[in-house]
Amino acid sequence: MQARQAVSVPATRAAVSVALAVTLGHFINDAYGGMLTPLAPAIRSQYRVSIAAVTLLASVFSLTSSVLQPLLGVIGERFDRRVMAAAGPALTGLGLTFMGYAPHFGILMLLVALAGFGSGFFHPAGAAYTARSSPLHVRGLWASIFSAGGTAGMALGPVFAGVGLHALPIFAPIGLIVGVVSYLITPSDRPVAGVKRPTLPDYLGIFRGPLLRLWAMAVLRSLASMGYTAMLPFILLARGFGARETGITLAVFSVASAVGGIVGGRLSDRIGRIPVLRNATLATIPLFALLIFSSPSQWFFYPLTFVVAALVNASIPVGVVTAQEYAPEHVAVASSVMMGFSWGFAGLLIVLVGLLADAVGPVIAALASLSLLVPSAFLAASLPEPEKRRF
């Protein structure tokens, strides 16, 4: 008995160390990513380009970091995932901290694309390490802590950006150090020699059945949340509020998203994945509608913002774990489908919300975004509860 306990303690500590290493990597990686938007005016001024050209940088980053993430997850399964997890923060940091030193705008686009590839490589690898390290009975909690690391990092991004475009290289060593630490702590995870590699039909099979419905649910949920946050500045401006109230609201939304993800992940360990996916989405709908018609002058606005953000984002890490349990042989690819690919696809559709706002106003556009939670909840309710098993 004592021998068994002696063996289990180091194994548990090793698992915790791996999870903490990739969560730290998630934090730093997304902190770099959070610098791009706040620096848009400085980039426009330095390179003397249009606003459209600056927004193209965001599209390039979204394409390489999110939309292509399933492909990068497939690549990660064919090489040592340890390298992918370590290289992610390093590449993202190098690409984005040197944005002020590109000789011309074309090179800047290549730097941003490189940073996006780093982020795209990291996310499926980090999620896979978290899933394989976590004990079965708290897998949802561990996934939500990993997710919260990225959310916290995005909140830090604007702080990094505050030093100015040309001072950003002082943050470059952080990603390199975190990458080295990750490489030293995470175990090698390369394909086993002699085992047949998955073929293209094997990967395409991941997208059939419940995982396809789960992905569609996540896209609709993400588009609903993105649509509201995109319309928020215009809604508040029309009601007489400015950048201060918008910033506070988005900060509350971000913090609540992290808290909601942790609570949702833990609840899914106790009551099941699908009940959390379904009930969190359903409970959000009436509160979200009330939030859209509220304003910062009302005492309940910020508490309501916190509750709505926590509910709508409670299902994010739960969805990732559910996808992993639907496709246990392809944990990294399943993770990338629910992380980058769903968010990236929703990001490509957000322009439709903008077009609707131009036609009928931002409030109606936000309500139309909210309505997407109804089919999202129905899709969640149609899903089977995944089997909890070791990866």
Side-chain angles (χ1 to χ4, degrees), residues 28-33 35 61 87-97 111 114-120 122:
I28 295 302
N29 183 88
D30 286 20
Y32 287 136
M35 299 189 308
F61 186 77
L91 289 177
T92 306
L94 289 174
L96 293 180
T97 57
L111 281 176
L114 174 69
F117 277 120
S119 185
F122 171 78

Side-chain angles (χ1 to χ4, degrees), residues 166-241:
H166 291 93
L168 291 179
I170 63 173
F171 299 121
I174 299 176
L176 296 173
I177 293 170
V178 169
V180 170
V181 170
S182 174
Y183 187 84
L184 293 175
I185 291 178
T186 53
S188 178
D189 190 7
R190 65 175 71 247
V192 179
V195 176
K196 181 184 175 183
R197 290 184 173 184
T199 61
L200 180 60
D202 293 329
Y203 286 118
L204 292 177
I206 299 174
F207 294 91
R208 300 193 190 104
L211 187 54
L212 180 60
R213 281 177 283 155
L214 180 66
W215 172 79
M217 179 222 78
V219 170
L220 293 173
R221 179 206 60 215
S222 298
L223 188 54
S225 180
M226 288 179 184
Y228 169 72
T229 55
M231 294 299 104
L232 178 66
F234 304 103
I235 293 173
L236 293 186
L237 181 64
R239 293 174 183 168
F241 300 94

Side-chain angles (χ1 to χ4, degrees), residues 135-187:
L136 274 174
H137 65 288
V138 288
R139 181 176 288 159
L141 176 63
W142 282 40
S144 64
I145 292 173
F146 173 76
S147 177
T151 303
M154 290 185 68
L156 180 64
V159 178
F160 279 3
V163 304
L165 199 57
H166 291 93
L168 291 179
I170 63 173
F171 299 121
I174 299 176
L176 296 173
I177 293 170
V178 169
V180 170
V181 170
S182 174
Y183 187 84
L184 293 175
I185 291 178
T186 53

Side-chain angles (χ1 to χ4, degrees), residues 46-65:
Q46 172 164 329
Y47 292 95
R48 298 180 182 179
V49 294
S50 65
I51 294 176
V54 176
T55 58
L56 181 61
L57 290 176
S59 298
V60 168
F61 186 77
S62 178
L63 174 67
T64 55
S65 67

